[in-house]
């Protein structure tokens, strides 16, 4: 039997000593690392670019244009920009939701096409990797990227309106104006489906308001209840009082089933997704309205809320019923990397073959937006939400 | 009903299909057997590989991965007390005690056969009832789902052996942990204390691994023994397990029927069906007291329900596009990418695809069971591997599995924290399964409760809906059924009455009962044992009080459910604490020894070694740190004199562990592991 009663053994058991030594070593290493950050991997290339890009936020996307001297066409600018990608680099696309569902389908289609495009543009074998980071209703993934090293290797696929909601409603420290917009992939518009037996004389808003005075309209939805609260608040300010109560479901499909069960009067979700439930059950469900600013090509006969006389139409359709899903880099994203990524994204998303594939899978075409447009959209979105936040109190 | 079957058969029996399903089977078996990985990660990873496949092949490929996971998860539950998937948790109640008795082969044989037969029978039930499915699914709304999930929570309290108060306290503690994160009522955060890593709640996989794997590793190391207490295996076990199932056709039919029908309820099936099946089997058994001690029926019942529920769970997805779980959500994504729209039109226009999916599920369950039986002889030898080799490898893999789920370093802290708490729970006779089930079911319970209230505009009349009321009444009856049955049995068999009332160890996996090489065991009660009870009870009470105080800042709707649960917890644990303290005082007066059972190594020694792993991981990185940990434990843990053989063995183990982890996680699963501060 080994003698355990050594001096060190009496003082502290061996594993604890090892632990203590290793922790001490880690602390020393961490301390060295924090003082000598420039010596970390990749630091030499990215560090000098960070201050410039940060100062110009949110116009990270504007960098390519502003940096170029000849002011030529954007694709040429992007091609000229210096990027830092090298063979074997991994570009992490953080997805703030779990795998599965429409959100995932969109980004999966994109990343599968993006990798070869990026490899061709950069001349490297850079790997595009999806990383699911669900949590906190998109907040975990957003916060992760917001605080990620701006080294061109981590980007976010997000719905800015989710970040705006967290900011306006919960006061979370997330500001999409500080992210670096890279381009938009999709535009999702929401609409309303009612049970066929909903007693309404017509589909007009006055009729809905009158009906709701007898008993409030019960609206089922997968998540964006604040949008509806703001909308009905705006209606109320304009003399249309719709009394509504809300039931939250996990998915559009559940909203459809809830309508079939008779649990709710109306369902609100992606118009295209709802159309599947209506197509399957034409005798039981009918569309009430489309919330987007323009009629959908897939449902040309469906009126928009604006056409139906919804007050504050611009806010209702653009800020409350249209959400963009787009790619962003963290604040201070290197301009050269942003430029090459934007070009790769543009090439993929506007490619007819990709458009066809995307439309076949999601029933809607992709909605490309340049970084400048995206930055503008985020600005408008935030100001509209902040202006109407009082309806949520 | 059989439309499309003729078209589906040649598609299913094609060469392409055979090759794809074989690959899915192999990958599914390997990844599902690793704690923390499971079929979900594999499905998410391989989803993009299915884009270029034919639609039928792609769907069958993914369904095979799903089906394989259901059975493969039971292997780890049986062998090392870690459920591969949450739905395998009920299997460990009797599966692991069988392993400790050297009967792991019998348990795996029974689990494999029950899985294959359960899935087959479940699919038959499903096909026969297909014309009714739409109506069945539409008749189950939030009120019914609330009642069903409530029955799950109640059942687990009833099923747990030992002191019912501790079982309920454990379940309440699980529910309390599930309150952390997003409120199911309003969507806001609660009890997160500003920690962003828990904004979406405490992660499930680290909780499962901490709760079940860490205490077993701890005890194996402390007692320096093998899982099989005797260090031997009972011969002919696999065949005995297979025949045990074949001799119980009624049990298979019962479990499969329960699994299929409960499986139809989105989101609930996996968590509830195995427990209901286990409960029914125990209630109908002539020897209910043997459940939890290694009764083979305790393996058959949950596994038949577990595997038959997959067919049921597919139906809400196929008929309405409702994904009841993350795996189903991935399948839905694959549907979309291949242009398939779930719904009535799928059944009307593409019934052949539904048949192919059902056949793939059947294939997955049958072949994975066959593979399980074929390799059971090798797998069971895990129970004979010495602790200094098995424990560090399992702990390293489990830690990486816990990390891989959320990709956050905090997962390691949660795993170890929960693990050390679970060690105390085992010693204090607090059963662990209720904690897990409470944790899993609370979000479903709370969400459906609030949905029901919203639908009924704040009225509680939803409780009077016929099916809801029926489920609640049955649940209420089940709460008291064991006591009534016991009373009835005692009245019938007065001579045996005292046997039934003998106190039994509360945890189904009493890691403290086995003796091993060098173990010094004294079974007499000791002061530390009573003290541990006081400690665990006080800990739960302190958590409840802290959360109750914090609840003041929450919205009234968001705190409704927590306050009900916290009040119940505070009252229950308060009474328990008073009784435990009284017990402690009387134990001191009675002169009980300070220490009861002692292992070969002290708690300080074992705890210290467990902390070495995260220290190494954060210092040297996950790969190198884990490999080095394996070597260090092998060479230094047992304080044996150093020999060349042991050092070589340690180096070989470390190299093999490092290479396997690198290939699996970094290369195949593309998971970026933690980098160390020094490397």
């Amino acid at each position: 039997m080994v003698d355990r009663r050594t001096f060190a053994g009496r003082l502290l058991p061996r594993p604890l000593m090892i632990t203590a030594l290793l922790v001490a070593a880690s602390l020393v290493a961490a301390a060295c690392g924090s003082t000598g950050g420039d010596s970390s991997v990749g630091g030499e290339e990215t560090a000098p670019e960070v201050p410039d890009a940060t100062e110009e936020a949110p116009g990270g996307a504007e960098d390519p244009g502003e940096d170029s001297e000849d002011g030529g066409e954007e694709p040429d600018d992007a091609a000229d920009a210096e990027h830092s990608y090298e063979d074997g680099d991994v570009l992490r696309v953080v997805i703030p939701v779990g795998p599965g569902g429409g959100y995932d389908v969109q980004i999966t289609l994109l990343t599968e096409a993006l990798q070869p495009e990026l490899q061709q543009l950069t001349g490297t074998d850079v790997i595009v990797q999806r990383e699911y980071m669900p949590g906190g209703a998109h907040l975990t993934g957003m916060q992760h990227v917001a605080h990620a090293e701006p080294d061109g290797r981590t980007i976010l696929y997000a719905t800015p309106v989710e970040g705006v909601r967290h900011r306006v409603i919960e006061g979370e420290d997330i500001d999409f104006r500080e992210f670096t917009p890279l381009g938009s992939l999709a535009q999702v518009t929401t609409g309303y489906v009612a049970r066929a037996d909903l007693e309404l004389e017509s589909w007009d808003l006055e009729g809905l308001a009158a009906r709701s005075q007898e008993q409030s309209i019960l609206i089922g939805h997968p998540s964006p209840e604040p949008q509806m609260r703001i909308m009905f608040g705006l209606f109320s300010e304009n003399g249309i009082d719709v009394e509504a109560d809300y039931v939250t479901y996990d998915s559009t499909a559940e909203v459809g089933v809830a309508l079939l069960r008779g649990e709710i009067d109306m369902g609100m979700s992606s118009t295209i997704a709802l159309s599947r439930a209506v197509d399957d059950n034409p005798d039981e469900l009918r569309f009430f309205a489309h919330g987007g600013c323009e009629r959908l090509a897939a449902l040309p006969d469906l009126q928009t809320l604006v056409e139906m006389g919804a007050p504050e139409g611009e806010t209702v359709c653009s800020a409350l019923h249209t959400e963009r899903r787009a790619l962003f880099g963290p604040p201070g994203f290197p301009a050269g990397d942003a430029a090459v990524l934007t070009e790769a994204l543009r090439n993929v998303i506007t490619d007819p073959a990709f458009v066809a594939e995307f439309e076949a899978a999601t029933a809607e075409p992709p909605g490309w937006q340049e970084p400048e447009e995206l930055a503008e959209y985020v600005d408008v979105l935030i100001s509209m939400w902040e202006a109407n936040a009082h309806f949520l109190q | 009903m059989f439309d499309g079957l003729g078209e589906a058969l040649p598609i299913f029996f094609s060469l392409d299909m055979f090759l794809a399903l074989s690959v899915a089977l192999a990958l599914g078996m390997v990844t599902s057997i690793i704690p923390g990985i499971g079929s979900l990660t594999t499905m998410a990873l391989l989803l993009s590989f299915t884009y270029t496949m034919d639609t039928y092949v792609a769907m069958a490929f993914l369904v095979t991965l799903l089906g394989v996971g259901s059975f493969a998860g039971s292997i780890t539950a049986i062998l090392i007390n870690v459920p591969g998937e949450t739905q395998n948790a009920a299997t460990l109640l009797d599966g692991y005690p069988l392993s400790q008795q050297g009967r792991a082969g019998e348990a795996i044989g029974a689990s494999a056969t029950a899985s294959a037969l359960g899935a087959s029978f479940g699919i038959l039930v499903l096909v026969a009832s297909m014309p009714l499915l739409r109506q069945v699914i539409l008749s189950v709304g939030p009120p019914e789902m609330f009642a069903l999930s409530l029955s799950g929570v109640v059942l687990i309290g009833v099923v747990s052996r030992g002191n019912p108060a501790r079982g309920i306290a454990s379940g309440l503690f699980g529910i309390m942990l599930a309150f952390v994160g997003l409120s199911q009522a309003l969507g806001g955060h609660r009890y997160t204390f500003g920690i962003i890593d828990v904004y979406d709640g405490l992660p499930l996989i680290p909780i499962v691994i901490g709760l079940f794997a860490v205490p077993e590793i701890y005890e194996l190391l402390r007692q320096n023994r093998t899982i099989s207490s005797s260090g031997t295996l009972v011969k002919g076990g696999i065949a005995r397990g297979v025949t045990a199932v074949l001799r119980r056709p009624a049990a298979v039919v019962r479990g499969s029927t329960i699994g299929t029908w409960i499986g139809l309820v989105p989101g609930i099936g996996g968590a509830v069906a195995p427990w209901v099946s286990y409960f029914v089997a125990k209630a109908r058994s002539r020897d209910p007291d043997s459940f939890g001690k290694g009764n083979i029926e305790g393996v058959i019942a949950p596994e038949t329900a577990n595997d038959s529920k997959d067919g049921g769970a597919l139906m809400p997805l196929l008929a309405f596009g409702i994904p009841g779980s993350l795996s189903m959500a991935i399948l839905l994504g694959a549907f979309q990418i291949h242009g398939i729209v779930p719904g009535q039109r799928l059944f009307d226009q593409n019934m052949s695809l539904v048949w192919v999916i059902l056949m793939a599920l059947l294939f997955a369950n049958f072949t994975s069971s066959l593979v399980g039986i074929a390799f059971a002889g090798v797998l069971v030898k895990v129970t004979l591997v010495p602790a200094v080799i098995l424990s560090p490898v399992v702990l390293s893999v489990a830690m990486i599995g816990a990390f891989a789920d959320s990709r956050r370093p905090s997962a390691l802290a949660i795993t170890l924290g929960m693990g050390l708490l679970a060690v105390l729970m085992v010693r204090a006779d607090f059963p662990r399964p209720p904690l897990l089930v409470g944790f899993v079911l609370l979000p479903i319970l709370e969400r459906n409760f609030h949905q029901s209230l919203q639908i009924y505009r704040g009225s509680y009349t939803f409780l009077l809906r016929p099916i809801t009321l029926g489920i609640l009444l049955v649940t209420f009856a089940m709460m008291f059924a064991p006591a009534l049955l016991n009373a009835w049995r005692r009245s019938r068999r007065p001579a045996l009455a005292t046997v039934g009332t003998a106190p039994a160890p509360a945890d189904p996996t009493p890691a403290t009962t086995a003796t091993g090489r060098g173990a010094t065991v004294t079974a007499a009660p000791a002061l530390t044992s009573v003290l541990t009870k006081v400690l665990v009870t006080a800990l739960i009470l302190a958590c409840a009080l802290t959360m109750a105080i914090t609840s003041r800042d929450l919205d009234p709707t968001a705190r409704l459910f927590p306050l009900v649960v916290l009040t119940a917890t505070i009252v229950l644990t308060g009474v328990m604490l008073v009784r435990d303290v009284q017990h402690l005082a009387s134990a001191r007066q009675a002169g009980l020894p300070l220490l009861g059972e002692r292992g070969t190594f002290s708690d300080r020694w074992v705890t210290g070694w467990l902390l070495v792993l995260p220290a190494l991981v954060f210092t040297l990185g996950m790969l190198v740190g884990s490999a080095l940990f394996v070597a260090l434990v092998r060479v230094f843990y047992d304080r044996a004199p150093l020999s060349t053989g042991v050092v070589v063995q340690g180096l070989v183990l470390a190299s093999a562990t490092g290479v396997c982890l690198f290939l699996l996680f970094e290369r195949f699963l593309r998971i970026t592991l933690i980098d160390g501060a020094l490397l």
Side-chain angles (χ1 to χ4, degrees):
Chain A
M1 194 69 183
V2 179
D3 179 20
R4 293 176 51 196
R5 295 289 162 190
T6 61
F7 173 73
R10 279 196 298 271
L11 189 67
L12 208 58
R14 192 182 309 171
L16 286 180
M17 283 177 63
I18 296 172
T19 308
L21 284 172
L22 287 169
V23 169
S26 298
L27 289 174
V28 170
C32 293
S34 65
T35 53
D38 288 348
S39 63
S40 61
V41 177
E44 288 172 354
E45 286 183 7
T46 57
E49 294 177 0
V50 170
D52 294 340
T54 310
E55 282 170 19
E56 288 165 16
E62 295 170 12
D63 295 346
E66 290 179 2
D67 289 350
S68 73
E69 292 177 7
D70 58 14
E73 290 177 19
E74 281 165 351
D76 292 335
D77 291 346
D80 292 341
E82 289 283 325
H83 65 79
S84 66
Y85 295 111
E86 293 174 0
D87 283 345
D89 278 355
V90 175
L91 175 69
R92 296 162 63 225
V93 182
V94 173
I95 305 159
V97 297
Y103 210 87
D104 186 30
V105 168
Q106 291 170 344
I107 191 62
T108 303
L109 288 171
L110 177 71
T111 49
E112 291 299 310
L114 183 63
Q115 180 169 305
E117 182 65 31
L118 199 55
Q119 287 178 345
Q120 192 182 341
L121 276 178
T122 59
T124 66
D125 65 351
V126 59
I127 296 162
V128 178
Q129 188 172 300
R130 292 184 300 280
E131 191 161 324
Y132 301 97
M133 207 170 277
H138 298 231
L139 192 60
T140 307
M142 289 176 185
Q143 291 279 27
H144 176 82
V145 176
H147 298 108
E149 188 76 20
D151 58 2
R153 305 299 185 273
T154 304
I155 62 174
L156 172 74
Y157 179 56
T159 309
V161 72
E162 295 289 348
V164 176
R165 281 170 51 192
H166 282 298
R167 179 182 171 81
V168 173
I169 301 172
E170 292 155 25
E172 293 288 350
D173 180 24
I174 190 93
D175 189 344
F176 263 78
R177 288 171 296 202
E178 291 177 1
F179 282 91
T180 307
L182 299 170
S184 159
L185 168 62
Q187 174 177 292
V188 177
T189 47
T190 47
Y192 294 82
V193 162
R195 283 208 332 263
D197 61 355
L198 181 67
E199 293 168 2
L200 274 178
E201 289 181 7
S202 71
W203 286 9
D204 66 325
L205 292 172
E206 278 78 11
L208 181 66
R211 157 72 172 75
S212 75
Q213 299 309 312
E214 299 162 20
Q215 189 178 35
S216 64
I217 302 287
L218 207 51
I219 305 178
H221 59 91
S223 68
E225 183 179 314
Q227 275 94 321
M228 285 186 282
R229 288 189 186 279
I230 291 177
M231 180 180 75
F232 288 128
L234 289 170
F235 286 4
S236 180
E237 279 187 346
N238 287 274
I240 301 174
D241 285 320
V242 178
E243 294 294 327
D245 286 305
Y246 308 96
V247 186
T248 312
Y249 292 93
D250 280 346
S251 64
T252 306
E254 282 192 28
V255 172
V257 171
L259 281 163
L260 292 174
R261 283 195 201 112
E263 286 170 9
I264 49 177
D265 299 316
M266 203 180 280
M268 184 268 205
S269 187
S270 151
T271 309
I272 289 293
L274 283 172
S275 71
R276 290 167 179 161
V278 176
D279 288 349
D280 251 7
N281 306 280
D283 297 334
E284 291 154 292
L285 305 178
R286 61 174 174 165
F287 262 113
F288 185 86
H290 172 54
C293 297
E294 293 167 4
R295 292 195 185 198
L296 285 173
L299 299 161
D301 297 331
L302 183 61
Q303 281 190 310
T304 66
L305 276 170
V306 177
E307 288 176 65
M308 291 164 64
E312 306 282 347
E314 183 59 26
T315 305
V316 167
C317 75
S318 64
L320 303 178
H321 287 95
T322 301
E323 62 176 46
R324 289 214 156 264
R325 294 177 181 174
L327 292 117
F328 296 86
F333 200 77
D337 293 344
V340 79
L341 274 175
T342 294
E343 185 181 0
L345 288 167
R346 184 191 302 115
N347 292 349
V348 169
I349 296 171
T350 56
D351 175 30
F354 179 78
V355 172
E357 187 184 19
F358 192 90
E359 202 165 355
T362 66
E364 282 181 296
W368 169 250
Q369 259 190 340
E370 293 292 337
E372 296 85 349
E373 297 172 90
L374 189 55
E376 194 180 328
Y377 163 75
V378 169
D379 274 344
V380 171
L381 197 65
I382 292 175
S383 42
M384 277 186 177
W385 272 77
E386 284 178 346
N388 294 295
H390 58 281
F391 291 121
L392 302 172
Q393 288 163 359
Chain B
M1 193 168 70
F2 294 101
D3 294 347
L5 183 58
E7 193 186 335
L9 284 170
I11 295 172
F12 188 77
F13 289 102
S14 65
L15 182 63
D16 283 356
M17 187 68 84
F18 174 76
L19 291 174
L21 298 197
S22 302
V23 171
L25 177 71
L27 291 175
M29 287 296 285
V30 170
T31 52
S32 297
I33 215 166
I34 298 167
I37 299 300
S39 54
L40 177 68
T41 310
T42 320
M43 284 177 75
L45 177 82
L46 297 178
L47 178 62
S48 53
F49 286 93
T50 63
Y51 295 165
T52 50
M53 291 180 184
D54 168 73
T55 301
Y56 287 87
V57 176
M59 295 305 138
F61 181 85
L62 290 171
V63 167
T64 302
L65 284 174
L66 176 78
V68 167
S70 299
F71 160 66
S74 73
I75 295 177
T76 48
I78 290 166
L79 292 179
I80 53 173
N81 204 35
V82 184
E85 312 261 352
T86 316
Q87 63 246 28
N88 300 113
T91 308
L92 60 79
L93 291 182
D94 283 274
Y96 189 67
L98 282 167
S99 288
Q100 289 180 311
Q101 294 162 20
R103 295 162 64 196
E106 187 179 340
I108 292 179
S111 170
T113 315
S115 297
L117 295 181
S120 315
F121 189 80
I123 288 170
L124 282 179
V125 170
L126 207 62
V127 170
S129 48
M130 214 172 263
L132 299 171
L133 285 179
R134 186 180 160 88
Q135 276 315 109
V136 170
I137 294 169
L138 284 180
S139 63
V140 180
E144 288 74 25
M145 288 164 78
F146 162 72
L148 203 55
S149 44
L150 183 67
S151 78
V153 174
V154 170
L155 265 184
I156 181 60
V158 174
V159 170
S160 301
R161 297 178 61 245
N163 187 325
R166 290 199 190 95
I168 294 167
S170 177
L172 288 171
F173 188 50
I175 291 175
M176 279 165 52
L177 293 179
F179 283 138
V180 175
L182 210 60
S183 160
Q184 297 295 325
L186 293 173
H189 302 126
R190 58 188 182 190
Y191 312 119
T192 57
F193 304 101
I195 303 168
I196 196 167
D197 278 10
V198 298
Y199 269 21
D200 207 35
L202 290 165
L204 175 64
I205 303 294
I207 296 273
V208 173
I209 290 175
L211 204 52
F212 294 103
V214 174
E216 295 316 316
I217 292 163
Y218 189 98
E219 282 305 323
L220 286 177
L221 283 172
R222 197 171 73 94
Q223 300 187 22
N224 197 20
R225 63 174 171 85
T226 58
I227 290 173
S228 171
S229 316
S230 60
T232 58
L233 291 170
V234 176
K235 287 186 179 171
I238 301 166
R240 198 175 302 117
V242 174
T243 48
V245 181
L246 297 177
R247 282 180 185 161
R248 292 171 174 83
V252 174
V253 170
R254 196 169 52 232
S256 309
T257 310
I258 291 170
T260 306
W261 285 95
I262 295 183
L264 282 171
V265 185
I268 293 181
V272 175
W275 293 103
V276 174
S277 183
Y278 185 91
F279 172 83
V280 172
K282 184 178 176 182
R284 291 180 60 90
S285 171
R286 289 177 184 171
D287 185 16
D289 290 337
S290 65
F291 275 70
K293 296 173 185 170
N295 188 326
I296 199 72
E297 287 182 35
V299 174
I300 297 169
E303 278 305 308
T304 44
N306 179 29
D307 285 73
S308 59
K309 65 128 193 21
D310 287 339
L314 273 170
M315 286 304 130
L317 179 74
L318 297 175
F320 295 100
I322 297 176
S325 64
L326 272 176
S327 306
M328 292 295 165
I330 292 172
L331 211 54
L332 180 62
F335 274 22
Q336 284 181 267
I337 283 167
H338 284 272
I340 300 165
V341 180
Q344 191 56 43
R345 277 183 299 173
L346 177 66
F347 288 86
D348 294 341
Q349 298 168 9
N350 204 354
M351 194 58 197
S352 57
L353 181 64
V354 176
W355 281 113
V356 166
I357 287 172
L358 291 179
M359 284 190 271
L361 191 60
L362 199 60
F363 167 86
N365 280 285
F366 252 99
T367 47
S368 62
S369 296
L370 287 176
V371 171
I373 289 172
F375 286 94
V378 178
L379 291 170
V380 295
K381 288 185 177 154
V382 164
T383 62
L384 302 179
V385 176
V388 286
I389 295 175
L390 182 69
S391 299
V393 174
V394 172
L395 187 65
S396 300
V397 175
M399 281 293 191
I400 298 181
F403 168 78
D405 175 54
S406 61
R407 319 276 170 99
R408 292 171 208 157
S410 59
L412 268 61
I414 294 171
T415 309
L416 266 185
M418 180 51 72
L420 293 175
L421 174 67
V423 170
L424 292 176
M425 287 178 70
V426 171
R427 293 189 183 177
D429 286 347
F430 277 78
R432 292 166 288 168
L435 192 156
L436 177 63
V437 175
F439 183 78
V440 170
L441 283 183
L442 182 273
I444 302 168
L445 186 71
E446 192 181 17
R447 184 172 63 244
N448 284 291
F449 175 79
H450 284 294
Q451 277 181 345
S452 304
L453 267 184
Q454 288 169 334
I455 291 164
Y456 280 76
R457 293 181 165 86
S459 164
Y460 287 89
T461 49
F462 69 85
L463 296 170
L464 300 176
R465 281 166 62 116
I467 298 177
T468 309
L469 189 61
I471 296 171
L472 290 175
L473 287 175
V474 170
T475 306
F476 192 69
M478 284 194 298
M479 279 174 70
F480 298 100
L484 292 174
L485 270 174
N486 268 344
W488 181 72
R489 284 194 179 114
R490 279 191 208 112
S491 68
R492 293 274 308 261
R493 293 179 295 169
L496 296 174
T498 50
V499 176
T501 57
D507 198 278
T509 58
T512 56
T513 55
T515 58
R517 288 176 298 169
T520 313
V521 175
T522 51
L527 273 181
T528 47
S529 165
V530 186
L531 200 59
T532 313
K533 287 185 177 67
V534 172
L535 185 66
V536 175
T537 310
L539 193 70
I540 297 175
L541 178 60
C543 284
L545 286 170
T546 309
M547 289 173 81
I549 292 165
T550 320
S551 299
R552 286 183 308 178
D553 303 330
L554 294 176
D555 180 277
T557 314
R559 70 181 179 212
L560 171 67
F561 236 75
L563 282 183
V564 171
V565 172
L566 293 172
T567 306
T569 311
I570 290 166
V571 171
L572 177 68
T573 51
V575 172
M576 285 168 63
L577 193 60
V578 170
R579 293 185 63 174
D580 284 345
V581 170
Q582 285 173 343
H583 188 194
L584 183 65
S586 58
R588 286 186 64 181
Q589 284 176 352
L592 281 186
L594 179 65
L595 295 173
E597 177 193 355
R598 297 189 63 175
T600 308
F601 298 105
S602 70
D603 286 320
R604 213 166 46 135
W605 181 252
V606 182
T607 309
W609 272 100
L610 289 189
L611 294 176
V612 166
L613 177 59
L616 284 171
V617 165
F618 289 114
T619 313
L620 304 173
M622 214 154 202
L623 274 180
V624 178
S626 300
L628 185 58
F629 178 70
V630 169
L632 287 175
V633 172
R634 176 65 197 101
V635 176
F636 296 112
Y637 176 81
D638 59 5
R639 294 168 173 156
L642 284 181
S643 69
T644 312
V646 169
V647 173
V648 169
Q649 202 178 44
L651 289 174
V652 170
L653 268 175
S655 310
T657 307
V659 170
C660 289
L661 293 179
F662 172 75
L663 290 176
L664 180 66
F665 289 96
E666 293 262 7
R667 284 289 165 206
F668 175 62
L669 294 173
R670 294 271 183 87
I671 293 169
T672 311
L673 300 177
I674 297 173
D675 287 330
L678 295 181
L679 287 183

